Amino acid sequence: MKIAMIFTEYKIKDLSLKNRIVMPPMCMYSADRKGIVQPFHLVHYGTRAQGGVGLIIIEATAIEARGRITGNDLGIWNDDQIPGLKSLVDIVHGFGAKIAIQLAHAGRKATVGQCISSWNSQFSDEYPIPIKMDESDIKQVVGVFGEGARRAQQIGFDMVEIHGAHGYLINQFISPLVNLREDSYGCKNGIGAKFLQEIIKSVKNNFKRPIGLRISAEEYSNEGLHPQNFIPLLSEVQQDRSTAVDLINVSSGGVIKKGFPSNVQPGYQIGFANEIKNGTKIPILAGGMLRDSDMIEGILKDKKADLIWLGRELLRNPYWPLKTSEYFKIEKGKPQQYERAEPYFRNS
Ligand SMILES: Cc1cc2nc3c(=O)[nH]c(=O)nc-3n(C[C@H](O)[C@H](O)[C@H](O)COP(=O)(O)O)c2cc1C
């Protein structure tokens, strides 16, 4: 019998995941204009939970209305949004999966009203010119991240992921390609840490379960950040109990308009993840165009990452984990109601 690392349990502090398969945050832009969960979300996330995913990180969810990418983003900025999110948590838990929420603010990539950023430069011509945040704006946004975290705690999410990647607001402070400030929120040693550190603190004060951070470890620009630049930043974050995180989700790109290569291959971000893992010793979630189970096994066995995500593959095929468990001859965890449809693993 093949040993399947992918189906071994993994613990993030007290949070026990039944396997190493994660659904990464993917915006569905399907909330109503008030940012409230719709039947679509219940079916969408419920199906992936039923399909056998260990941890679902739900899509970028705005911690304030002006931080939305579109008018149909999910929101966690007011109490009316709580019951819908609670139904989502209950459905996912009902299928034995764990559920995290990605707390997000789009900054200069927001398209709903006046946007804000670390600096007053627009992402591209199609985006509005942001207002450069002053210290009181910063304080207010740090505060609403905390409010979002407090609601996430109340709702019962197993984990919170802070969205520090893909050129959204936190990334607009981290990256020297965007953040040209000269005050204490500017870049020191080529990277902007203070805004991120304050947000982690604010989230940790209000959320008492594991906390993850997603980063764009590679900015695909000579003047931009590379994985090695994150090691001192993350080491500093880990040294302070009030800012230490439990998982780093290693992604890349999205900081500037041309900040993504066109010729990427399956596993293209695994090298970045491995570098961060070796340099920081923080548990790592990694992925990018993954779908081949042997390749994924190799990544886990070689300890290049602790958990792996499948994004678009789970959109195409919500039952990927079931199929893959059959490939590895694992009997546990199949829905008894679908027994007559087995085997799931067929070539035709
Ligand atoms: C439709 C879609 C929406 C996405 N939305 C988000 C998001 O809300 N937050 C985020 O951090 N990444 C988002 N991403 C990036 C994914 O989480 C993932 O990193 C990316 O799809 C690459 O993984 P894959 O090749 O397995 O799909 C999105 C990707 C897709 C395809």
Side-chain angles (χ1 to χ4, degrees):
M1 197 176 87
K2 293 180 185 173
I3 300 165
M5 271 288 283
I6 194 168
F7 289 102
T8 53
E9 193 194 18
Y10 188 75
K11 278 189 112 173
I12 311 172
K13 289 169 102 179
D14 289 339
L15 176 63
S16 174
L17 308 179
K18 65 181 174 185
N19 61 40
R20 311 287 182 114
I21 307 166
V22 178
M23 178 179 185
M26 285 182 284
C27 284
M28 293 288 110
Y29 307 123
S30 299
D32 68 5
R33 306 295 288 185
K34 293 178 177 164
I36 290 176
V37 164
Q38 300 298 302
F40 167 83
H41 298 97
L42 303 179
V43 175
H44 171 66
Y45 291 111
T47 309
R48 275 76 198 171
Q50 186 193 42
V53 169
L55 172 68
I56 292 178
I57 307 176
I58 70 160
E59 62 202 80
T61 303
I63 46 87
E64 66 170 354
R66 67 174 167 175
R68 287 173 291 173
I69 305 168
T70 75
N72 292 102
D73 290 15
L74 279 181
I76 190 164
W77 69 81
N78 71 43
D79 289 350
D80 296 342
Q81 293 156 340
I82 291 176
L85 291 167
K86 173 90 177 62
S87 313
L88 207 52
V89 168
D90 291 344
I91 282 205
V92 168
H93 281 167
F95 288 111
K98 297 292 165 34
I99 180 166
I101 184 166
Q102 188 183 49
L103 298 182
H105 193 303
R108 68 176 186 166
K109 285 173 130 180
T111 63
V112 192
Q114 176 61 58
C115 63
I116 54 172
S117 186
S118 58
W119 195 247
N120 58 2
S121 62
Q122 63 202 124
F123 177 69
S124 72
D125 290 346
E126 298 91 62
Y127 284 80
I129 298 174
I131 290 177
K132 179 186 161 195
M133 292 162 74
D134 63 19
E135 292 214 0
S136 77
D137 298 322
I138 290 176
K139 208 168 162 204
Q140 180 263 329
V141 171
V142 168
V144 286
F145 262 98
E147 286 299 295
R150 182 184 56 72
R151 291 192 185 94
Q153 174 82 28
Q154 182 189 338
I155 292 164
F157 280 101
D158 300 299
M159 191 175 112
V160 151
E161 180 178 271
I162 298 170
H163 197 351
H166 304 162
Y168 293 110
L169 184 62
I170 296 174
N171 207 172
Q172 291 160 28
F173 276 84
I174 294 175
S175 175
L177 296 176
V178 185
N179 183 354
L180 305 181
R181 301 173 78 100
E182 290 187 341
D183 63 3
S184 62
Y185 290 94
C187 291
K188 283 200 197 83
N189 302 320
I191 193 162
K194 189 172 172 189
F195 184 60
L196 169 69
Q197 287 166 327
E198 290 186 356
I199 284 173
I200 302 174
K201 260 186 213 165
S202 175
V203 168
K204 281 191 87 157
N205 280 339
N206 291 285
F207 189 80
K208 300 301 172 193
R209 302 183 196 112
I211 290 173
L213 169 66
R214 194 168 216 197
I215 56 167
S216 277
E218 173 57 59
E219 296 186 337
Y220 305 106
S221 157
N222 288 340
E223 294 76 39
L225 298 172
H226 310 292
Q228 67 267 25
N229 302 118
F230 281 87
I231 292 166
L233 169 80
L234 295 175
S235 304
E236 194 183 323
V237 159
Q238 288 314 92
Q239 268 162 27
D240 182 344
R241 274 173 63 123
S242 69
T243 55
V245 296
D246 306 298
L247 185 72
I248 302 289
N249 182 348
V250 180
S251 190
S252 67
V255 180
I256 49 172
K257 194 165 182 213
K258 287 191 181 141
F260 203 76
S262 53
N263 56 344
V264 289
Q265 302 292 328
Y268 67 100
Q269 296 175 133
I270 301 302
F272 312 148
N274 192 33
E275 204 169 333
I276 304 272
K277 187 169 160 65
N278 290 337
T280 64
K281 309 290 174 220
I282 310 172
I284 297 290
L285 165 60
M289 292 181 76
L290 297 180
R291 63 191 299 191
D292 180 80
S293 28
D294 289 320
M295 182 176 181
I296 292 169
E297 267 301 286
I299 295 167
L300 293 170
K301 280 204 179 117
D302 294 344
K303 301 198 182 329
K304 291 190 170 144
D306 301 283
L307 296 167
I308 58 93
W309 85 68
L310 294 102
R312 285 161 294 178
E313 184 57 18
L314 282 169
L315 296 185
R316 287 186 281 264
N317 180 6
Y319 294 118
W320 188 94
L322 283 183
K323 245 179 81 164
T324 305
S325 69
E326 204 158 64
Y327 174 68
F328 287 114
K329 303 200 169 16
I330 289 166
E331 284 307 316
K332 229 170 70 183
K334 295 186 188 174
Q336 162 255 320
Q337 296 93 333
Y338 295 173
E339 214 170 63
R340 288 180 64 185
E342 292 178 18
Y344 300 97
F345 190 68
R346 282 170 187 264
N347 288 326
S348 58

